Amino acid sequence: MKKTNSDLALLATSGIRRFNALANATPGCVKLTLGEPEFDTPAAVKEAVARALAEGQTHYPPNNGKASLLAALSSYMGEQGLAYAPEELIVTCGATEALSATLQALLDPGDEVVVPVPAFGLYETVVRAAHGEVRFLDTSSDGFAIDEDRLRAVVGERTKAIVVTSPNNPTGCVYGAASLDAVARVAAETGIYVICDDVYNRLCYAEGCERFACRHPELRDQTVVVDSFSKPWAMTGWRIGWLAAAPALKAQIEKMHQYLISSIPTFVQDAAVVALGCDVAPMRETYRRRRDLVVERLGRMGLPLTRPEGAFYAFPDVSGLGMGSEELCERLVREAGVACVPGTCFGCEGFMRLSYCVADDQLELGLDRLEGFLAAL
């Protein structure tokens, strides 16, 4: 029997899912593992998909998305200061497919992609599946910011792109001007592409959170903006995202998109237009309130934490607890009945991720159990 893709053999299955499965197998365990909003999708969005089905919208749409959705996305991005015409957009099967299509369109075997860590594990998986190499940029000693000298040290002749995720998963940190400008200077000098995973951009807690593509429009031809309906509108199961890129680059990415999935389902696209008009501020305010609670409680527990400024994750430093993050998270499930995700799942030992997009009572209970476990150590 012939071997399968040798690069995939180097990859493990999702550590996040592994710890979530461990929690599922533990009766009464509080799960602070997944980035899964507990809110329901807005009613108007669900009603729109029901109308589309009743109207018989069950046939092939255009590969890149219906004209009405592309126009709505173009207008939506324009309101955020991102000028992309409808023909520069592709509607994708979530941000996951957008990232996969982009990286497969960019990479030749052996090309490198810089991934600042801690980072969502998907990036490494997609790069390796495309026979590329990952160059990790450790940001943990720089307050999870991008240091220009460290960035230059990992960029080489085969480097093709860098992935920029802000607000960040797992830290919740937002890249400031210094980080964005460091990326821009290196990209301008070397010609590498900047892939902006902006899926949490609507979940920033402070005013003035800049996006790379807004701050550096001069690099438009080298920039891909990836976004998604999943997190802000509690539409994770809908699998709708999109990407924006200048025409020449977008023309290559859309080839991969066409052959990966052809298109997303027709009947969800009108509903996506409706979602763009739904106010996410109430959900964002709930996450901000929970962020404040988590910061206060972790501080009382003595766990150092860089204050999250977006998304719905906290990434406390657990290096002083006398055990690795995987051992800690396994013990938390088995001994305390609360599940978090070890930093090793994000390429950064000595930390763990705690997701606070859960119901208030579950979050309080999970924090109580975590505090009790730490007190008993």
Side-chain angles (χ1 to χ4, degrees), residues 35-42 45-46 203 228-239 275 280 283 287 312:
E36 172 69 71
E38 92 281 10
F39 295 107
D40 195 11
T41 301
V45 181
K46 294 188 292 183
L203 300 180
S228 173
F229 289 87
S230 290
K231 310 298 185 175
W233 290 281
M235 295 173 64
T236 53
W238 292 64
R239 311 312 305 136
V280 303
M283 284 188 276
Y287 297 139
F312 33 57

Side-chain angles (χ1 to χ4, degrees), residues 25-47:
T26 305
C29 187
V30 175
K31 293 183 291 184
L32 306 181
T33 46
L34 298 183
E36 172 69 71
E38 92 281 10
F39 295 107
D40 195 11
T41 301
V45 181
K46 294 188 292 183
E47 291 164 2

